[in-house]
């Protein structure tokens, strides 16, 4: 079947979807020990790695936060309730601040009211 006929009939020719859960050739550490072995600084409070970005090369005096999860958090929030979002990445109650992680750092929690 030609590509034009397939498009006219609404079919996809030769398209393959990636296999869900498969890993690519790049290695992404999962445990604090693997992050340390890869050369990253790890938080003693929650085991999150500190991953520098190009921003830190341009502004070397900016503090680098820890990255407890390499992706978004999906949480349910209540309207008109005050939440403190953790900016340092060291709270054990991610994505919200537990009041312990940001102590002794240059970061302060960010207030969020939905």
């Amino acid at each position: 079947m030609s590509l034009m006929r397939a498009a006219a009939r609404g079919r996809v020719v030769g398209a393959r979807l990636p296999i869900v859960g498969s890993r690519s050739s790049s290695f992404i550490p999962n445990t604090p020990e693997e992050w340390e072995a890869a050369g990253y600084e790890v938080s003693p409070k929650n085991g999150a790695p500190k991953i520098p970005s190009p921003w830190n090369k341009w502004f070397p005096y900016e503090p680098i936060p820890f990255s407890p999860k390499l992706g978004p958090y999906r949480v349910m929030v209540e309207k008109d309730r005050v939440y403190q979002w953790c900016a340092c990445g060291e709270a054990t109650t991610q994505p919200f601040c537990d009041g312990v992680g940001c102590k002794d750092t240059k970061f302060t929690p960010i207030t969020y009211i939905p």
Side-chain angles (χ1 to χ4, degrees), residues 21-72:
S22 66
R23 284 194 161 191
S24 64
S25 61
S26 63
F27 172 71
I28 299 174
N30 290 325
T31 64
E33 293 79 19
E34 291 176 353
W35 281 107
E36 283 183 324
Y40 291 93
E41 180 183 348
V42 177
S43 169
K45 298 176 185 175
N46 66 354
K50 186 180 281 189
I51 304 172
S53 71
W55 177 271
N56 303 115
K57 291 180 183 176
W58 302 325
F59 301 98
Y61 300 106
E62 291 286 320
I64 302 172
F66 287 92
S67 302
K69 180 179 176 183
L70 300 177

